Amino acid sequence: MKMKKTTAQTTAPTNQLRDRCQNHFLALRIPVEPAALDELLARAEKESLSHLRFLDLLLGAQADARRERAVARRIQDAHFAENKTLEAFNWQFNPKAFDRVQIEELATGDFIRRHSNLVLVGWSRSCDILSHLTKWLERLIAGGL
């Protein structure tokens, strides 16, 4: 009988703490479903997750979703004229005219992180790839690179 009382005493404060945490999430507008929290708490206990790993799992998915929504909102607010992507570009059209590896390297946006300049120069037939690349870069920048 003492064992049941001990379990009940341990469970009540744990449930109260869980409910407090859920209220904190609501106050902070972090959409964590109670069932998802319970599942993650059980996993953390079972796998002996570190505090940081637990927080990463708890908040990581929500942060990723929020970032994706922000990027989509920025792209929508930018009112881009066309929705061109490098994936849609026909690389077989004139494969000798473009250095695909170099174009794909530019598309990573690494030059932005390095604070380097980019000058795009081309002849009239290169406009399609330049258009695709600039539209992709617009989206990259709108995404908060």
Side-chain angles (χ1 to χ4, degrees), residues 21-135:
C21 288
Q22 195 66 45
N23 287 331
H24 294 323
F25 294 137
L26 289 172
L28 295 170
R29 296 185 180 176
I30 301 173
V32 176
E33 293 293 324
L37 177 60
D38 291 341
E39 183 179 316
L40 189 54
L41 286 168
R43 178 179 170 192
E45 188 174 339
K46 180 182 175 185
E47 297 177 18
S48 300
L49 298 178
S50 70
H51 300 302
L52 284 175
R53 181 65 180 141
F54 174 77
L55 282 173
D56 180 57
L57 290 172
L58 179 65
L59 300 175
Q62 296 301 324
D64 289 342
R66 187 173 287 185
R67 278 189 286 273
E68 287 177 21
R69 286 190 306 271
V71 168
R73 186 180 61 253
R74 285 187 198 112
I75 289 172
Q76 183 180 6
D77 291 348
H79 301 291
F80 292 132
E82 300 176 59
N83 187 18
K84 291 188 175 186
T85 64
L86 289 180
E87 292 81 17
F89 183 71
N90 181 6
W91 293 100
Q92 301 306 316
F93 171 70
N94 193 353
K96 294 181 182 180
F98 309 106
D99 182 351
R100 183 174 182 169
V101 173
Q102 186 178 28
I103 298 294
E104 288 177 342
E105 168 63 26
L106 287 173
T108 66
D110 192 49
F111 71 95
I112 297 170
R113 285 185 280 278
R114 292 189 319 260
H115 303 283
S116 298
N117 294 324
L118 173 66
V119 178
L120 300 174
V121 179
W123 58 100
S124 62
R125 293 191 176 181
S126 66
C127 288
D128 199 34
I129 186 62
L130 292 177
S131 177
H132 276 76
L133 183 60
T134 55
K135 296 298 180 191

